[in-house]
Amino acid sequence: MPEQPFEPERAIAGTGMGGAMDLAASEAETLEKTPGGPEGTGLAGKPHSLWSDAWRDLRRNPVFIISALVILFLVVISLWPSLIASGNPLKCDLAKAQEGSQPGHPFGYDGQGCDVYTRTVYGTRTSVTVGVLATLGVAIFGSVLGGLAGFFGGVWDSILSRLTDIFFAIPVVLGGLVLLSVVTSNTVWPVIGFMVLLGWPQISRIARGSVITAKQNDYVQAARALGASNSRLLLRHITPNAVAPVIVVATIALGTYISLEATLSYLGVGLKPPTVSWGIDISAASQYIRNAPHMLLWPAGALAITVLAFIMLGDAVRDALDPKLR
């Protein structure tokens, strides 16, 4: 008998259900071996996670790259300010008070004869330290309280909601004037503690809403039905999927806390001399703004660039982590 031509449809029909399943399995195996794959999948056809997609978007975002480089530079000079400023920020010469730019002193001198460039560089350490530590304290404290209230609900959720309403009603600057005016310490800890005290309600509400949304998902209900404990549900299933909004808000708030520290120091209730701070230098230079504007320009410019860099970073992270903006 002459050989019949091979027909794919007849071959599948002849083999029945098992043949069709074998062919589907072979196609899936071919897809896994093919680089790339459908949109939303990586090598071997594995789907991307939220974090991998976010990192891929961040690497392509020029706003993120620029702000990250600026923040990296600020962190480096905060840790090792002597790399770009060899002078002593507390060494002053009254004979050079309010003088302008000179060789070796590009920013001139302040009202006490201190080098403005050196004080601006060393002021980075104080401002970044206060901003980072305050943000960590606010994020941890607020996330724990809000997450537990959102997970367990009931009377604890009601108490936390009323407590956050009370703290939201306190004006931040007015609260700083009242609470910090009685503090005599020259360290950064009273300022950081004040920021944590009045800053946690915002993060707490964000964490609470995110946890309430996450615990209603099917995978959480399935884990609960299988007997998972509350601690396992929180740590393994809810927290990884509810932490993204907290990270976004905390990143943007970091720049706000740096600005708040400068505001409180300017008003005389924040950091105090001999601590080197942009807010202290801006406050001291405000009375010389007509005769020696360089005293105000440089620390104020450094403060503005730092706050803008963290806000831009937070915006870029928000765009990357929010699936609705894709």
Side-chain angles (χ1 to χ4, degrees):
M1 296 177 60
E3 294 184 359
Q4 297 293 330
F6 177 74
E7 298 181 7
E9 295 81 357
R10 184 177 300 176
I12 295 175
T15 54
M17 181 66 69
M21 293 177 63
D22 292 341
L23 182 58
S26 64
E27 290 178 349
E29 183 178 357
T30 303
L31 178 61
E32 291 183 358
K33 295 180 181 179
T34 303
E39 185 179 358
T41 61
L43 294 177
K46 296 181 180 180
H48 290 297
S49 66
L50 172 65
W51 301 103
S52 61
D53 284 341
W55 175 240
R56 181 188 59 188
D57 292 342
L58 288 174
R59 288 181 299 176
R60 300 174 181 177
N61 190 343
V63 174
F64 170 78
I65 295 175
I66 295 173
S67 59
L69 290 176
V70 173
I71 292 173
L72 179 62
F73 173 73
L74 293 172
V75 171
V76 170
I77 65 175
S78 298
L79 297 175
W80 303 284
S82 58
L83 290 177
I84 62 173
S86 58
N88 185 350
L90 301 179
K91 183 179 179 180
C92 305
D93 185 359
L94 285 175
K96 299 180 179 179
Q98 302 184 37
E99 292 186 2
S101 176
Q102 298 179 5
H105 306 278
F107 294 176
Y109 296 88
D110 64 7
Q112 300 297 323
C114 302
D115 184 22
V116 175
Y117 172 76
T118 303
R119 290 187 63 86
T120 301
V121 172
Y122 276 83
T124 306
R125 170 183 291 180
T126 303
S127 298
V128 172
T129 300
V130 171
V132 170
L133 293 182
T135 302
L136 288 176
V138 166
I140 294 174
F141 187 63
S143 297
V144 170
L145 289 182
L148 292 178
F151 182 78
F152 291 104
V155 62
W156 297 110
D157 189 18
S158 300
I159 293 175
L160 181 68
S161 298
R162 302 293 77 77
L163 192 61
T164 54
D165 291 338
I166 294 174
F167 277 92
F168 272 126
I170 301 176
V172 176
V173 176
L174 180 59
L177 290 173
V178 173
L179 295 178
L180 294 178
S181 61
V182 298
V183 177
T184 58
S185 175
N186 291 330
T187 64
V188 300
W189 297 111
V191 178
I192 295 174
F194 165 75
M195 293 181 181
V196 174
L197 179 64
L198 293 187
W200 69 267
Q202 180 186 19
I203 296 292
S204 177
R205 283 197 169 179
I206 297 295
R208 173 183 174 273
S210 185
V211 168
I212 290 177
T213 302
K215 76 175 185 178
Q216 297 174 353
N217 291 327
D218 294 338
Y219 58 85
V220 176
Q221 301 301 326
R224 189 189 299 274
L226 292 174
S229 62
N230 288 334
S231 59
R232 182 178 179 84
L233 289 175
L234 275 171
L235 298 177
R236 294 291 302 274
H237 300 287
I238 294 180
T239 300
N241 296 282
V243 72
V246 175
I247 293 176
V248 172
V249 175
T251 305
I252 297 176
L254 201 157
T256 304
Y257 292 137
I258 293 177
S259 178
L260 178 60
E261 177 273 318
T263 301
L264 295 174
S265 298
Y266 178 85
L267 295 175
V269 297
L271 302 178
K272 300 175 179 62
T275 304
V276 181
S277 167
W278 291 333
I280 295 175
D281 290 348
I282 293 173
S283 178
S286 60
Q287 55 184 324
Y288 303 106
I289 189 171
R290 291 186 177 181
N291 300 328
H294 65 276
M295 295 171 49
L296 179 65
L297 174 64
W298 297 111
L303 174 64
I305 292 174
T306 302
V307 174
L308 180 62
F310 280 105
I311 292 178
M312 290 171 58
L313 180 69
D315 289 340
V317 173
R318 179 199 59 193
D319 295 342
L321 290 178
D322 192 351
K324 297 178 181 179
L325 299 177
R326 297 183 184 280

